[in-house]
Every structure is written in C-alpha cells, then in structure tokens.
Amino acid sequence: MPKSTSVSEASASTPGNIPKASPRSDSDVPNPENLLQEYTELRERYTRTTNALASAAHDLKTPLSILNGYVELLQSEKLGPVSERQSEVLRDMLAAAFELQPQKLRVITEDVGGAFGMKSGAYPEYAALMLAARKVGRPVHWMSSRSEAFMSDNGARDMFLEGELALGRDGEFLALRVQVLANLGAFITGAGIITQTQNFGRCLSSVYRIPRIQCDVRSIYTHTVQTGPYRGAGRPEANYLIERLVDAAARSAGIDRVEVRRRNLLAPQAMPYKTPVAVTYDSGEFPAIFEKALALADYEGFPARRDRAAAAGLRRGIGISCFLEHAGGVPTESAAVRFPGGDKALVALGVQGTGQGHGTVFARLAAKHLGVAPDLIEVQQGDSRLEVASGGTVASRSTMLAGTAVFRTIELIVAKGRKIAARMFEATEADVEYRDGFFEVMGTDRRLSLFAIADKATEWKRSGEIEETLDSAMKVELPPTFPNGCHVAEVELDPETGVVAVVAYAAVDDCGVVLDATLTEGQVCGGLAQGLGQALLEHGVYDRASGQLLTGSFTDYAMPRADHMPPTADAFHPVPCTTNPIGVKGVGEAGTTGALAAIMNAITDALPAEAGLLDMPATPEKIWRACRGSG
C-alpha cells in the first residue's frame, strides 16, 4: 500500500482531487425489498441538486478547496487510564474484551481533567493493564509519557474539503455541493467515521436557507495515528467550510459579506425548520444574534481601526462566522436521585465531568427543582457501581440529557412522595401539594419536609408496608438540540514578519437556557483557545518518505498560550429549546466551532486581495509569503 501521511497528500495524488463518490449516505442505504424505488429517489435528489447548481445566476457558482489540518490531541499532564465516557461504558468495553460479565468489573474514573474527545473510548493499554494485573496477581500502575502520547493517542480533523455554493440573482443561496476526503489514520476508532460523515453532514445547512445540499465523503486509511473526535467532532469542520465559502461567494457576486448573510439567514418564523440534511431545527433567532454580534464587535467602527493599523504599518482584518451545531449524540441518558438518610440527597450521574463544573450545575439544578438548598445535594459520578446508564460526556449533551433525566427523576420523586405524605397526613393525594422542599396539606399549616418523607418511605419499605422508597431513577430519550451563534474576530498582521495577533473577539451564543453564566462563559472561552490554536499554530506533520512523526514534542508542535488570547466580548441570546423541559441546548463546542472561520476570514480580509485563501494554520511564514505574492 503506498504511504500517505495526510489527506492533502492523498488528494494531490488523486486525479481531479477528490474522486466522485456515489451520492449516498448511511441513511440512504437502499431497502432490499424496494431497491429500485430507493435508488430512483436517490438519483432524483442528486439531479435536483445538480440542476440547482447549474441554474446559478451569472455563473455565481463559487468553488472552494480548503484543508482542515491535522491536529494532535494532547494533554497538559501525563495520561493514565481515564475516560470522559461514563465509567459504566468503559467497564462494558473492557468486559467485552475479556468476555466478562460487566458486573464483575468495577471502573472508577473520578477526576479525569480535560478530555475534548480523545478520552471517549478505551485505549489498548487499558486492556493490557488488566491482563498484566491478572498475570502477576497484584495491582499494576501505568502512566503514559507525553512523548508516547504524541505517537499513540488519537489525532483529529485532517479533512480536505471542496465546496460549491450557487447563488441566485438576488444573492440567495440555491444549492451547496460538498466533497470531502477524510483521514481515518492507520486504524478506525469508534467515532472516527461518525465524526467525518454524520456529524459533519448534519451541520451543512447551518443557519441559512439552502434548498439543496449534496455531500459526498470518502474516509481513507493513511499511515498516521488513528483519528477520532476532538472538540466539535465534525461540527467545526463543516462550519469552517460553509463560512469560508459564504465569504468567497460574496466576493464573487460583488455583494457585501454582511448583506449576503442577512439575505439568507433563516427567520424565527421558519421554525420548526426541516433542513435538506434530515434534521429539524426546533428554535432559533439567527438574524437577531447576527445583528447583536456585529454591534458587540463594533463592526461599523472597523474602517477607522483599519486605518489606524495601516498608519502603524500593520494590516487589519475582520472576519465573521455564523454557526449551528447539532448536540446530543446518543439520544438516551439516565440519572438517579437517592436518599441515604438525614437532610441529604444524592444525585447519581452517568456523564463524567471533565472540568465543566458538573458538580455545581447538577447540584443547583436538582436543588432548584426539589426546592432545597444546594448544599443538601451531593453529586456522584465516575463509578460503574452507580449503575447509571449513559451515552457519555460528548457532543455537548450532558446538561440537556442528564439534566432532563434529573428533572424527570425529581418529578417521579414528588409523585411518590405525595402518596406517602397523603398517607401520613391521612388526607387525599389531591389535597397534598409540594413546594420549597415540603409536602403540605393545602389550606392548613400541616407540612413535612422532603427528607422526612424519604426517611418514612425507607422505614415503611423495610417493614414491607410499601414496595419502594423515594429513591428513583429515570431514563430519557430526546431529539438533538441546535446550539448556534455568531462570532466576529479582528486580527492584525505584520507584513514584515508575518506575525498575526487576534486583537479582538466578539461572541454571541444561543445555548438555550443558561444555567450558570460563569461556567458557560468559560466553555466559550476555552473553545476559542482551541480554535485559535488550530487556526494559527497547531499542525501535526509526518515525514512523507518514512512516515515518521516530526512534531512529536512541544518543541515542534506549537500550542496556544495565554498571550495569544484576545480581549473577548461575549453575550448570550438564549432562545429556550422546545424539545426538553429545561430548555437547554449545549455550549461545550461553540467556541471552537465559531472560532476557526472567524479568525481565518479575518486573516483573508487583512491580506492583499491577490493573496488568495490560506489553509490553517496561518503561520508567520505563510502570512509573510502571502503578503509578497509568493504564497
């Protein structure tokens, strides 16, 4: 097999760049019982998209080829056997490898630290540890070194993207055609294909009305380390393509980039909106968010700032990135609430906190709906013996799914508690209400606390008077949610050195109901840091002749530092989600999804017009060459 160490190398060796793939996705697999009909429908969809592209007014069919570069997923500390998926999922993976009954294996993950996708599955070393412990009959400890992690832990991104966007006479979007060549690495991971196909494709409609969309993806094996999900997992890649394509289409059509977006943003009245990529948006106020972001960035004042930069010998640019994600991943999630006795409630979660503040958010959420003080709630996670089934802490899903499971569990607790209270009060259930942590007989001063009722239920269960205590668990199933927003970046670059600085950044996000503003802002800022790193610095490189990793340490692999981060103005525009009872949408991947295109569009705006488009990372050498017309 010929060596290939990146998708750009693979695409360059393929005539016509990306070979034409059959216009079908996993959801289009023909039904064997009706093969001809399904094939005919598939060809008709393909033809309609092709015709829409062909009908673009005045040849306003903008092509674009860009590379979403290879990044290495690294931890600031050494990596031991930990997982961002809940401990039960990791337990089940390892139990299957050893053909064990899952209940015979206990996995405790406790404090994992940052994860962002790379810890979403079991690595081979975990099984090796178990085997070693069995062989020697004693505990075995292992910790990966950073040098080892560079060569063994999942990589990410590395997609060669080609897109065509057709515009009508008034600048309206008619159709989008996308072709992708994506790197799987030498081995396939559990979520590698999903990232490159389903996650990517579902985001292509973004916040715009695009009547026809065709997407062909080819995932290929190369000689790099295996690739997997990384913060956003297909969503930033899709948004990066769309937003750079929108800017290119605006230039081609001679329409201002702000105006072309205004003309194509979906209006709130369009909700619920079914997209051409088989998802339905439940809510969103995309035009309002767009205008709010422009105002927050002082877009109108940019020409004056550009002039001041020019007077100092610098080139200044501004970039816009609207975005929309689908959040949720696995659609089911569980939670349990248990009463150990006394004035305390235990909230048992399957999702695994990796720095998001789960202990804070879920304690407050449970306290709010139970009507008790947050310090009476203890959050438990990271132990397979909790027996709480979960789809893991991925896809910005924890709050919407686990939060809903907690909410529904509390509803069940209140219903069960009302029965117990009615019996204790010798009243009818209809006369008992629950508020502020107490069951009360309406119209009287008779009341008992939630914890007193829980203790009585435990006592009656022991004596056989009732069948179950107030301890309760619920499993919920929800459709995906659609976090969205608009980010605006400003950059200054020095044409003499090629050095780029992101000097201002404005972000407006709709993550639905905001449960904790401080933690939510932290999620956006952390995502921005990772997006900035990919846009300006990070690039995993393998030697083409030998396949040897060349960026195997932080000496060679550049990472963002605190002084790379810009002053940030952020705001929220919460539009409650209508498909879950707490109204949340998710925010964990928003900063990264918005940042890539915002920064790269700003760099394109700052460069001379003849410089063309740059691929990430926009290193000083690339910028220096682009300013001299030698890129």
Side-chain angles (χ1 to χ4, degrees), residues 380-405:
Q380 298 178 315
Q381 58 182 333
D383 188 343
S384 62
R385 285 193 181 175
L386 294 173
E387 293 293 347
V388 181
S390 175
T393 306
V394 295
S396 298
R397 66 187 301 277
S398 295
T399 306
M400 60 173 278
L401 277 154
T404 296

Side-chain angles (χ1 to χ4, degrees), residues 70 73-75 79 118 123 125 144 148-155 225-226:
Y70 179 84
L73 307 192
L74 308 166
Q75 301 302 304
L79 174 65
M118 70 164 293
Y123 281 88
E125 291 89 344
S144 170
E148 180 182 358
F150 268 102
M151 296 184 290
S152 63
D153 296 349
N154 292 352
V225 73
Q226 71 281 351

Side-chain angles (χ1 to χ4, degrees), residues 400-466:
M400 60 173 278
L401 277 154
T404 296
V406 169
F407 178 87
R408 295 299 187 202
T409 302
I410 289 172
E411 286 186 327
L412 177 59
I413 288 169
V414 171
K416 290 163 65 175
R418 187 175 284 114
K419 292 179 185 292
I420 303 297
R423 179 175 171 179
M424 294 178 69
F425 289 134
E426 297 182 342
T428 65
E429 284 186 48
D431 289 333
V432 177
E433 65 176 353
Y434 181 77
R435 62 178 179 178
D436 299 331
F438 287 87
F439 291 93
E440 304 174 340
V441 178
M442 291 185 289
T444 74
D445 60 356
R446 300 173 66 196
R447 63 198 314 237
L448 287 168
S449 75
L450 166 69
F451 300 107
I453 297 294
D455 288 344
K456 180 59 69 173
T458 300
E459 177 187 327
W460 284 353
K461 172 69 166 60
R462 287 198 194 105
S463 64
E465 296 180 59
I466 59 175

Side-chain angles (χ1 to χ4, degrees), residues 38-357:
E38 295 209 6
Y39 179 76
T40 301
E41 290 174 356
L42 189 59
R43 294 302 304 178
E44 286 176 353
R45 275 183 278 162
Y46 176 84
T47 301
R48 287 195 294 268
T49 304
T50 301
N51 290 342
L53 284 159
S55 67
H58 307 299
D59 290 326
L60 297 183
K61 184 175 68 174
T62 303
L64 181 71
S65 296
I66 52 177
L67 177 66
N68 197 303
Y70 179 84
V71 296
E72 298 172 16
L73 307 192
L74 308 166
Q75 301 302 304
S76 58
E77 302 298 332
K78 294 178 179 180
L79 174 65
V82 291
S83 175
E84 66 195 281
R85 284 198 181 270
Q86 70 114 351
S87 50
E88 188 181 51
V89 175
L90 185 58
R91 177 200 67 185
D92 292 349
M93 290 179 178
L94 293 171
F98 284 88
E99 298 181 346
L100 293 173
Q101 290 295 322
Q103 289 69 28
K104 292 187 176 181
L105 179 63
R106 184 182 185 185
V107 174
I108 301 173
T109 50
E110 293 185 341
D111 230 348
V112 172
F116 311 115
M118 70 164 293
K119 298 176 183 174
S120 59
Y123 281 88
E125 291 89 344
Y126 302 174
L129 275 175
M130 291 177 59
L131 182 61
R134 176 185 285 179
K135 291 285 187 183
V136 301
R138 57 187 298 180
V140 175
H141 175 269
W142 165 80
M143 187 71 72
S144 170
S145 69
R146 185 173 291 152
S147 296
E148 180 182 358
F150 268 102
M151 296 184 290
S152 63
D153 296 349
N154 292 352
R157 310 292 197 229
D158 208 10
M159 298 170 71
F160 188 81
L161 311 168
E162 288 190 345
E164 295 176 275
L165 181 63
L167 276 64
R169 293 184 181 278
D170 295 322
E172 72 276 18
F173 298 160
L174 300 178
L176 170 69
R177 179 158 57 202
V178 174
Q179 295 189 84
V180 179
L181 197 62
N183 179 20
L184 286 171
F187 311 98
I188 191 167
T189 60
I193 286 285
I194 293 173
T195 294
Q196 298 168 357
T197 54
Q198 176 178 286
N199 287 5
F200 178 86
R202 285 182 174 180
C203 291
L204 289 176
S205 193
S206 188
V207 294
Y208 306 112
R209 184 182 296 278
I210 308 176
R212 303 289 179 200
I213 297 177
Q214 176 196 337
C215 178
D216 297 332
V217 178
R218 294 191 69 206
S219 297
I220 61 171
Y221 289 105
T222 71
H223 285 66
T224 73
V225 73
Q226 71 281 351
T227 61
Y230 173 54
R231 199 167 191 168
R235 302 161 183 85
E237 295 92 316
N239 185 73
Y240 178 63
L241 172 65
I242 295 301
E243 288 302 298
R244 296 206 72 183
L245 195 52
V246 169
D247 264 23
R251 287 191 295 270
S252 176
I255 306 173
D256 181 78
R257 56 188 165 166
V258 169
E259 182 59 29
V260 80
R261 286 177 169 86
R262 283 185 177 133
R263 294 181 190 181
N264 289 282
L265 288 169
L266 286 164
Q269 296 78 13
M271 304 300 161
Y273 176 73
K274 185 175 182 180
T275 74
V277 290
V279 294
T280 300
Y281 304 160
D282 67 284
S283 59
E285 297 178 358
F286 309 145
I289 288 171
F290 182 63
E291 301 300 336
K292 192 172 182 176
L294 294 179
L296 191 63
D298 186 21
Y299 190 84
E300 295 298 323
F302 173 73
R305 296 193 293 276
R306 170 174 268 174
D307 290 344
R308 288 195 294 271
L314 303 174
R315 304 187 67 95
R316 193 172 182 117
I318 191 166
I320 301 168
S321 175
C322 298
F323 69 91
L324 178 140
E325 313 168 75
H326 59 92
V330 179
T332 58
E333 187 66 33
S334 301
V337 179
R338 295 157 182 159
F339 296 90
D343 291 351
K344 180 181 284 292
L346 306 177
V347 176
L349 301 175
V351 292
Q352 171 70 55
T354 57
Q356 302 93 328

